[in-house]
Amino acid sequence: DAGVTQSPTHLIKTRGQHVTLRCSPISGHKSVSWYQQVLGQGPQFIFQYYEKEERGRGNFPDRFSARQFPNYSSELNVNALLLGDSALYLCASSLKQDSYEQYFGPGTRLTVT
Amino acid sequence: GENVEQHPSTLSVQEGDSAVIKCTYSDSASNYFPWYKQELGKRPQLIIDIRSNVGEKKDQRIAVTLNKTAKHFSLHITETQPEDSAVYFCAASPDRGSTLGRLYFGRGTQLTVWP
């Protein structure tokens, strides 16, 4: 099953550090979106990338950035980590920017101490 | 932006009973409404979706209904089984240039099916 993959699975960082999370979309999918899921809540939109360009940004500070590579994989970067950044970070892929169906990866569990 | 409200936050049913989860949304531009099932420690899985040109959609034991006038949609699970136990999320996606392809989620419903 060549679904969405993410790495690493778990990560522990301390406040002020920087983190990079990675995502590989389903083969053939060109759009990647990032979501933050805090415990007990629904996922919250962070970014959408399509054809290597940022197509949407949620209500997150500039400490959050992302990019998409020519092979459509993506990285999410978070600088100056805060305790409140502890969450499950989910990547979702879809065929195109305006494709409705989004398929999620297993997520990266980030803990900031 | 879009605001999605989901109720109830927890739902307990006996195996074989039906379960209904309800969501409301605020943005009249929303035209796609998926439902995700998330088991503990696993990824959200798309289980059913509906688009605004359809009022109801069924897939075996699950169905979704949409009332665009009232801006609410519901998930119905019949003949529930213990393996249906999970957190269920509704979401809405506005068909608007600035938010195209973006999903707005409810806070989730923890469904527990007792044998």
Side-chain angles (χ1 to χ4, degrees):
Chain A
D1 176 304
V4 180
T5 59
Q6 291 186 244
S7 64
T9 307
H10 295 88
L11 207 48
I12 300 175
K13 292 284 189 178
T14 56
R15 280 174 292 177
Q17 285 190 315
H18 161 272
V19 68
T20 297
L21 311 180
R22 295 178 176 83
C23 169
S24 291
I26 292 171
S27 178
H29 284 196
K30 299 182 177 181
S31 181
V32 169
S33 296
W34 287 95
Y35 291 82
Q36 180 195 64
Q37 186 177 21
V38 174
L39 199 61
Q41 295 185 22
Q44 188 174 359
F45 174 81
I46 309 174
F47 284 112
Q48 184 191 41
Y49 275 78
Y50 177 62
E51 291 287 12
K52 302 180 287 295
E53 289 189 13
E54 182 183 307
R55 299 302 180 109
R57 185 188 182 107
N59 189 23
F60 280 81
D62 291 344
R63 300 184 295 107
F64 288 76
S65 63
R67 55 180 175 166
Q68 187 177 34
F69 299 100
N71 66 354
Y72 303 109
S73 66
S74 178
E75 281 183 357
L76 174 70
N77 297 284
V78 187
N79 292 323
L81 286 167
L82 303 174
L83 295 179
D85 295 331
S86 296
L88 180 66
Y89 288 85
L90 294 162
C91 170
S93 83
S94 57
L95 205 54
K96 302 182 297 182
Q97 180 189 1
D98 59 353
S99 296
Y100 289 112
E101 294 87 357
Q102 295 190 25
Y103 299 93
F104 283 88
T108 294
R109 171 71 63 187
L110 172 65
T111 302
V112 182
T113 62
Chain B
E2 173 65 279
N3 182 46
V4 178
E5 301 279 347
Q6 183 172 348
H7 300 280
S9 56
T10 61
L11 181 60
S12 291
V13 299
Q14 205 72 35
E15 182 177 2
D17 287 349
S18 295
V20 180
I21 302 170
K22 298 183 178 182
C23 290
T24 60
Y25 62 99
S26 61
D27 192 337
S28 57
S30 286
N31 64 352
Y32 174 65
F33 307 91
W35 286 87
Y36 286 86
K37 175 184 179 183
Q38 188 174 30
E39 296 175 73
L40 193 62
K42 296 194 175 180
R43 73 186 75 194
Q45 280 192 297
L46 178 64
I47 57 171
I48 195 167
D49 55 15
I50 192 167
R51 302 185 189 187
S52 60
N53 58 347
V54 175
E56 183 176 359
K57 183 177 178 181
K58 270 183 145 178
D59 183 3
Q60 299 182 351
R61 294 187 299 107
I62 61 174
V64 57
T65 58
L66 170 64
N67 184 327
K68 280 222 79 177
T69 304
K71 294 197 184 74
H72 66 72
F73 57 112
S74 301
L75 177 71
H76 303 252
I77 306 174
T78 59
E79 299 172 28
T80 54
Q81 301 165 3
E83 50 265 40
D84 293 330
S85 297
V87 179
Y88 291 80
F89 292 98
C90 63
S93 184
D95 185 9
R96 192 192 293 286
S98 60
T99 59
L100 195 61
R102 192 180 301 193
L103 293 177
Y104 292 85
F105 285 85
R107 293 175 67 93
T109 296
Q110 173 68 62
L111 173 65
T112 303
V113 181
W114 300 100

